[in-house]
Amino acid sequence: LLTSGTAGAKEVVAGALSSLAENPDNQIAIAEAGAIPPLVKLLTSGTALAKEHAAGALGNLACHFDNQIAIAEAGAISPLVELLTSGAADAKEEVAGALLSLAENPD
């Protein structure tokens, strides 16, 4: 649904993944299921709410070291920074958290 669902479905799925990724046990499973690239794509192509949820999900996923690398390699840094200037206030808060989590990786 992250890649082929309606705009509303993408919002719901990104929100659900954000919530699920709060649990460390789910963080690797979500990444291994291939969710990172579609979440990164939502940062540029989704609705305002989808972008907010995608940033939140990526921020939560970035709490795990291996996911930090995968998120950066998927090209998330540039769209996250872009959302800092163009996103809604709630999205900016999620973006700040995601960038903070990513910055904790020295690689």
Short mmCIF file of all heavy atoms in Angstrom, two decimals, residues 44-97:
data_model
loop_
_atom_site.label_atom_id
_atom_site.label_comp_id
_atom_site.label_asym_id
_atom_site.label_seq_id
_atom_site.Cartn_x
_atom_site.Cartn_y
_atom_site.Cartn_z
N THR A 44 8.69 13.03 -0.57
CA THR A 44 8.61 13.99 -1.67
C THR A 44 7.31 13.91 -2.45
O THR A 44 6.90 14.87 -3.08
CB THR A 44 9.78 13.80 -2.66
OG1 THR A 44 9.78 12.47 -3.16
CG2 THR A 44 11.11 14.09 -1.99
N SER A 45 6.66 12.76 -2.40
CA SER A 45 5.48 12.60 -3.26
C SER A 45 4.17 12.45 -2.50
O SER A 45 3.11 12.42 -3.11
CB SER A 45 5.66 11.38 -4.17
OG SER A 45 5.71 10.19 -3.39
N GLY A 46 4.23 12.34 -1.20
CA GLY A 46 3.02 12.11 -0.43
C GLY A 46 2.28 13.39 -0.07
O GLY A 46 2.76 14.50 -0.31
N THR A 47 1.12 13.21 0.53
CA THR A 47 0.38 14.35 1.07
C THR A 47 1.15 14.90 2.27
O THR A 47 2.10 14.27 2.75
CB THR A 47 -1.02 13.91 1.54
OG1 THR A 47 -0.86 12.98 2.63
CG2 THR A 47 -1.83 13.26 0.41
N ALA A 48 0.71 16.03 2.77
CA ALA A 48 1.39 16.62 3.93
C ALA A 48 1.37 15.64 5.12
O ALA A 48 2.39 15.48 5.81
CB ALA A 48 0.73 17.94 4.31
N LEU A 49 0.24 14.97 5.33
CA LEU A 49 0.16 14.02 6.43
C LEU A 49 1.02 12.79 6.18
O LEU A 49 1.68 12.28 7.09
CB LEU A 49 -1.30 13.61 6.68
CG LEU A 49 -1.54 12.71 7.89
CD1 LEU A 49 -1.03 13.36 9.18
CD2 LEU A 49 -3.03 12.38 8.00
N ALA A 50 1.06 12.32 4.94
CA ALA A 50 1.90 11.17 4.60
C ALA A 50 3.38 11.52 4.82
O ALA A 50 4.14 10.70 5.34
CB ALA A 50 1.67 10.73 3.16
N LYS A 51 3.77 12.74 4.45
CA LYS A 51 5.15 13.16 4.66
C LYS A 51 5.49 13.19 6.15
O LYS A 51 6.56 12.75 6.57
CB LYS A 51 5.38 14.54 4.04
CG LYS A 51 5.36 14.54 2.53
CD LYS A 51 5.48 15.95 1.96
CE LYS A 51 5.41 15.93 0.46
NZ LYS A 51 5.52 17.27 -0.12
N GLU A 52 4.56 13.71 6.94
CA GLU A 52 4.77 13.76 8.39
C GLU A 52 4.93 12.36 8.97
O GLU A 52 5.86 12.10 9.74
CB GLU A 52 3.58 14.46 9.04
CG GLU A 52 3.64 14.48 10.55
CD GLU A 52 2.38 15.06 11.17
OE1 GLU A 52 1.66 15.83 10.50
OE2 GLU A 52 2.12 14.74 12.34
N HIS A 53 4.02 11.46 8.58
CA HIS A 53 4.10 10.08 9.09
C HIS A 53 5.35 9.36 8.59
O HIS A 53 5.96 8.60 9.33
CB HIS A 53 2.85 9.29 8.71
CG HIS A 53 1.62 9.69 9.45
ND1 HIS A 53 1.60 10.02 10.78
CD2 HIS A 53 0.33 9.80 9.03
CE1 HIS A 53 0.37 10.31 11.15
NE2 HIS A 53 -0.42 10.19 10.10
N ALA A 54 5.73 9.59 7.33
CA ALA A 54 6.92 8.96 6.78
C ALA A 54 8.16 9.43 7.54
O ALA A 54 9.03 8.62 7.88
CB ALA A 54 7.06 9.25 5.29
N ALA A 55 8.24 10.73 7.82
CA ALA A 55 9.38 11.25 8.57
C ALA A 55 9.40 10.65 9.98
O ALA A 55 10.47 10.29 10.48
CB ALA A 55 9.31 12.78 8.65
N GLY A 56 8.23 10.51 10.59
CA GLY A 56 8.16 9.90 11.91
C GLY A 56 8.60 8.45 11.89
O GLY A 56 9.34 7.99 12.77
N ALA A 57 8.14 7.73 10.87
CA ALA A 57 8.52 6.32 10.76
C ALA A 57 10.03 6.18 10.55
O ALA A 57 10.67 5.36 11.20
CB ALA A 57 7.76 5.66 9.60
N LEU A 58 10.58 7.01 9.68
CA LEU A 58 12.02 6.93 9.43
C LEU A 58 12.80 7.31 10.68
O LEU A 58 13.84 6.71 10.98
CB LEU A 58 12.40 7.82 8.25
CG LEU A 58 11.90 7.32 6.89
CD1 LEU A 58 12.05 8.40 5.83
CD2 LEU A 58 12.62 6.05 6.47
N GLY A 59 12.31 8.29 11.41
CA GLY A 59 12.96 8.67 12.66
C GLY A 59 12.96 7.54 13.67
O GLY A 59 13.97 7.28 14.33
N ASN A 60 11.83 6.86 13.77
CA ASN A 60 11.76 5.73 14.69
C ASN A 60 12.63 4.57 14.22
O ASN A 60 13.30 3.92 15.02
CB ASN A 60 10.31 5.28 14.87
CG ASN A 60 9.50 6.29 15.65
OD1 ASN A 60 10.04 7.09 16.40
ND2 ASN A 60 8.20 6.26 15.46
N LEU A 61 12.62 4.31 12.93
CA LEU A 61 13.46 3.24 12.39
C LEU A 61 14.94 3.56 12.58
O LEU A 61 15.76 2.66 12.77
CB LEU A 61 13.16 3.03 10.90
CG LEU A 61 11.81 2.41 10.57
CD1 LEU A 61 11.53 2.49 9.07
CD2 LEU A 61 11.72 0.98 11.07
N ALA A 62 15.28 4.84 12.54
CA ALA A 62 16.68 5.26 12.67
C ALA A 62 17.22 5.09 14.08
O ALA A 62 18.41 5.30 14.32
CB ALA A 62 16.84 6.70 12.22
N CYS A 63 16.39 4.67 15.00
CA CYS A 63 16.89 4.38 16.35
C CYS A 63 17.76 3.13 16.34
O CYS A 63 18.50 2.88 17.30
CB CYS A 63 15.71 4.21 17.32
SG CYS A 63 14.85 5.77 17.64
N HIS A 64 17.66 2.34 15.29
CA HIS A 64 18.50 1.14 15.15
C HIS A 64 19.65 1.46 14.20
O HIS A 64 19.44 1.94 13.09
CB HIS A 64 17.68 -0.03 14.61
CG HIS A 64 18.40 -1.34 14.71
ND1 HIS A 64 19.40 -1.69 13.84
CD2 HIS A 64 18.27 -2.36 15.59
CE1 HIS A 64 19.86 -2.88 14.16
NE2 HIS A 64 19.20 -3.30 15.22
N PHE A 65 20.87 1.17 14.63
CA PHE A 65 22.08 1.52 13.88
C PHE A 65 22.03 1.06 12.43
O PHE A 65 22.33 1.82 11.51
CB PHE A 65 23.31 0.95 14.59
CG PHE A 65 24.61 1.25 13.90
CD1 PHE A 65 25.22 2.48 14.06
CD2 PHE A 65 25.21 0.30 13.08
CE1 PHE A 65 26.42 2.77 13.41
CE2 PHE A 65 26.40 0.59 12.43
CZ PHE A 65 27.00 1.83 12.60
N ASP A 66 21.69 -0.20 12.18
CA ASP A 66 21.67 -0.72 10.82
C ASP A 66 20.69 0.03 9.95
O ASP A 66 20.92 0.23 8.74
CB ASP A 66 21.33 -2.21 10.81
CG ASP A 66 22.44 -3.07 11.41
OD1 ASP A 66 23.59 -2.61 11.46
OD2 ASP A 66 22.14 -4.21 11.82
N ASN A 67 19.58 0.45 10.52
CA ASN A 67 18.59 1.19 9.76
C ASN A 67 19.07 2.59 9.41
O ASN A 67 18.69 3.14 8.37
CB ASN A 67 17.26 1.27 10.51
CG ASN A 67 16.55 -0.05 10.59
OD1 ASN A 67 16.88 -0.99 9.86
ND2 ASN A 67 15.59 -0.15 11.48
N GLN A 68 19.91 3.17 10.25
CA GLN A 68 20.45 4.50 9.95
C GLN A 68 21.18 4.48 8.62
O GLN A 68 21.01 5.37 7.79
CB GLN A 68 21.40 4.95 11.07
CG GLN A 68 20.72 5.20 12.38
CD GLN A 68 21.72 5.40 13.52
OE1 GLN A 68 22.92 5.20 13.36
NE2 GLN A 68 21.20 5.77 14.68
N ILE A 69 21.98 3.47 8.42
CA ILE A 69 22.74 3.34 7.18
C ILE A 69 21.79 3.13 6.00
O ILE A 69 21.92 3.78 4.96
CB ILE A 69 23.77 2.20 7.29
CG1 ILE A 69 24.81 2.56 8.35
CG2 ILE A 69 24.42 1.90 5.95
CD1 ILE A 69 25.69 1.43 8.80
N ALA A 70 20.83 2.24 6.17
CA ALA A 70 19.87 1.96 5.08
C ALA A 70 19.06 3.20 4.72
O ALA A 70 18.79 3.44 3.54
CB ALA A 70 18.94 0.82 5.49
N ILE A 71 18.67 3.98 5.71
CA ILE A 71 17.89 5.19 5.46
C ILE A 71 18.73 6.21 4.68
O ILE A 71 18.26 6.80 3.71
CB ILE A 71 17.36 5.78 6.79
CG1 ILE A 71 16.29 4.85 7.37
CG2 ILE A 71 16.82 7.19 6.59
CD1 ILE A 71 15.94 5.15 8.83
N ALA A 72 19.97 6.39 5.10
CA ALA A 72 20.86 7.31 4.38
C ALA A 72 21.11 6.83 2.96
O ALA A 72 21.05 7.62 2.01
CB ALA A 72 22.17 7.48 5.14
N GLU A 73 21.36 5.53 2.80
CA GLU A 73 21.62 4.98 1.46
C GLU A 73 20.38 5.05 0.56
O GLU A 73 20.51 5.10 -0.66
CB GLU A 73 22.11 3.55 1.56
CG GLU A 73 23.53 3.45 2.10
CD GLU A 73 24.03 2.02 2.27
OE1 GLU A 73 23.23 1.07 2.19
OE2 GLU A 73 25.24 1.87 2.50
N ALA A 74 19.20 5.09 1.15
CA ALA A 74 17.97 5.20 0.37
C ALA A 74 17.71 6.64 -0.08
O ALA A 74 16.74 6.90 -0.79
CB ALA A 74 16.78 4.68 1.17
N GLY A 75 18.57 7.56 0.34
CA GLY A 75 18.45 8.94 -0.13
C GLY A 75 17.53 9.82 0.70
O GLY A 75 17.00 10.81 0.20
N ALA A 76 17.38 9.50 1.97
CA ALA A 76 16.42 10.24 2.80
C ALA A 76 16.92 11.60 3.28
O ALA A 76 16.10 12.47 3.58
CB ALA A 76 16.04 9.39 4.01
N ILE A 77 18.21 11.81 3.33
CA ILE A 77 18.73 13.03 3.95
C ILE A 77 18.23 14.28 3.22
O ILE A 77 17.69 15.20 3.85
CB ILE A 77 20.27 13.03 3.99
CG1 ILE A 77 20.80 11.77 4.68
CG2 ILE A 77 20.79 14.31 4.63
CD1 ILE A 77 20.64 11.71 6.16
N SER A 78 18.38 14.33 1.93
CA SER A 78 17.99 15.52 1.17
C SER A 78 16.49 15.84 1.30
O SER A 78 16.13 16.98 1.58
CB SER A 78 18.40 15.36 -0.30
OG SER A 78 18.05 16.51 -1.03
N PRO A 79 15.59 14.86 1.10
CA PRO A 79 14.18 15.20 1.26
C PRO A 79 13.81 15.57 2.70
O PRO A 79 12.91 16.40 2.91
CB PRO A 79 13.42 13.95 0.82
CG PRO A 79 14.41 12.92 0.46
CD PRO A 79 15.78 13.52 0.55
N LEU A 80 14.49 14.99 3.68
CA LEU A 80 14.23 15.38 5.06
C LEU A 80 14.62 16.84 5.28
O LEU A 80 13.87 17.62 5.88
CB LEU A 80 14.99 14.47 6.04
CG LEU A 80 14.42 13.08 6.24
CD1 LEU A 80 15.41 12.20 6.99
CD2 LEU A 80 13.07 13.12 6.98
N VAL A 81 15.78 17.23 4.80
CA VAL A 81 16.23 18.62 4.93
C VAL A 81 15.26 19.56 4.20
O VAL A 81 14.93 20.63 4.71
CB VAL A 81 17.68 18.78 4.44
CG1 VAL A 81 18.09 20.24 4.36
CG2 VAL A 81 18.64 18.01 5.33
N GLU A 82 14.81 19.15 3.04
CA GLU A 82 13.84 19.96 2.28
C GLU A 82 12.56 20.19 3.08
O GLU A 82 12.00 21.28 3.08
CB GLU A 82 13.53 19.28 0.94
CG GLU A 82 12.47 19.98 0.12
CD GLU A 82 12.85 21.38 -0.35
OE1 GLU A 82 14.05 21.65 -0.51
OE2 GLU A 82 11.94 22.20 -0.53
N LEU A 83 12.10 19.15 3.78
CA LEU A 83 10.89 19.29 4.58
C LEU A 83 11.07 20.25 5.75
O LEU A 83 10.09 20.80 6.25
CB LEU A 83 10.43 17.92 5.11
CG LEU A 83 9.58 17.08 4.18
CD1 LEU A 83 9.27 15.73 4.81
CD2 LEU A 83 8.29 17.80 3.82
N LEU A 84 12.30 20.46 6.18
CA LEU A 84 12.54 21.44 7.25
C LEU A 84 12.14 22.85 6.82
O LEU A 84 11.77 23.68 7.64
CB LEU A 84 14.01 21.43 7.68
CG LEU A 84 14.45 20.32 8.60
CD1 LEU A 84 15.95 20.42 8.85
CD2 LEU A 84 13.70 20.36 9.91
N THR A 85 12.22 23.12 5.54
CA THR A 85 11.87 24.45 5.05
C THR A 85 10.47 24.51 4.45
O THR A 85 9.83 25.55 4.50
CB THR A 85 12.88 24.94 3.99
OG1 THR A 85 12.92 24.02 2.90
CG2 THR A 85 14.27 25.06 4.59
N SER A 86 10.00 23.40 3.90
CA SER A 86 8.73 23.45 3.19
C SER A 86 7.59 22.73 3.89
O SER A 86 6.44 22.89 3.50
CB SER A 86 8.90 22.86 1.78
OG SER A 86 9.20 21.47 1.87
N GLY A 87 7.89 21.95 4.89
CA GLY A 87 6.87 21.13 5.52
C GLY A 87 6.04 21.88 6.55
O GLY A 87 6.38 22.99 6.98
N ALA A 88 4.94 21.25 6.93
CA ALA A 88 4.09 21.79 7.98
C ALA A 88 4.82 21.67 9.33
O ALA A 88 5.79 20.92 9.45
CB ALA A 88 2.77 21.03 8.02
N ALA A 89 4.34 22.39 10.32
CA ALA A 89 5.01 22.42 11.62
C ALA A 89 5.16 21.02 12.23
O ALA A 89 6.23 20.67 12.74
CB ALA A 89 4.25 23.33 12.59
N ASP A 90 4.10 20.20 12.15
CA ASP A 90 4.19 18.84 12.71
C ASP A 90 5.20 18.00 11.95
O ASP A 90 5.92 17.19 12.55
CB ASP A 90 2.81 18.17 12.70
CG ASP A 90 1.86 18.77 13.72
OD1 ASP A 90 2.33 19.42 14.68
OD2 ASP A 90 0.64 18.60 13.57
N ALA A 91 5.26 18.18 10.64
CA ALA A 91 6.23 17.43 9.84
C ALA A 91 7.66 17.85 10.20
O ALA A 91 8.56 17.01 10.30
CB ALA A 91 5.97 17.64 8.34
N LYS A 92 7.85 19.14 10.41
CA LYS A 92 9.18 19.63 10.78
C LYS A 92 9.65 19.01 12.08
O LYS A 92 10.83 18.69 12.24
CB LYS A 92 9.17 21.16 10.87
CG LYS A 92 9.04 21.84 9.53
CD LYS A 92 8.99 23.35 9.69
CE LYS A 92 8.83 24.02 8.34
NZ LYS A 92 8.76 25.49 8.46
N GLU A 93 8.74 18.84 13.02
CA GLU A 93 9.10 18.21 14.29
C GLU A 93 9.54 16.76 14.07
O GLU A 93 10.54 16.31 14.65
CB GLU A 93 7.90 18.25 15.23
CG GLU A 93 8.20 17.74 16.62
CD GLU A 93 7.01 17.90 17.56
OE1 GLU A 93 6.21 18.83 17.39
OE2 GLU A 93 6.91 17.06 18.47
N GLU A 94 8.81 16.04 13.23
CA GLU A 94 9.18 14.64 12.92
C GLU A 94 10.51 14.59 12.19
O GLU A 94 11.35 13.72 12.44
CB GLU A 94 8.08 13.97 12.10
CG GLU A 94 6.75 13.82 12.82
CD GLU A 94 6.79 12.84 13.97
OE1 GLU A 94 7.77 12.12 14.17
OE2 GLU A 94 5.78 12.80 14.71
N VAL A 95 10.71 15.53 11.26
CA VAL A 95 11.97 15.58 10.51
C VAL A 95 13.15 15.84 11.44
O VAL A 95 14.20 15.20 11.33
CB VAL A 95 11.90 16.66 9.40
CG1 VAL A 95 13.27 16.94 8.82
CG2 VAL A 95 10.94 16.24 8.31
N ALA A 96 12.97 16.76 12.36
CA ALA A 96 14.06 17.06 13.30
C ALA A 96 14.44 15.82 14.10
O ALA A 96 15.63 15.55 14.30
CB ALA A 96 13.63 18.20 14.24
N GLY A 97 13.44 15.06 14.53
CA GLY A 97 13.74 13.82 15.25
C GLY A 97 14.45 12.80 14.39
O GLY A 97 15.39 12.13 14.85
#
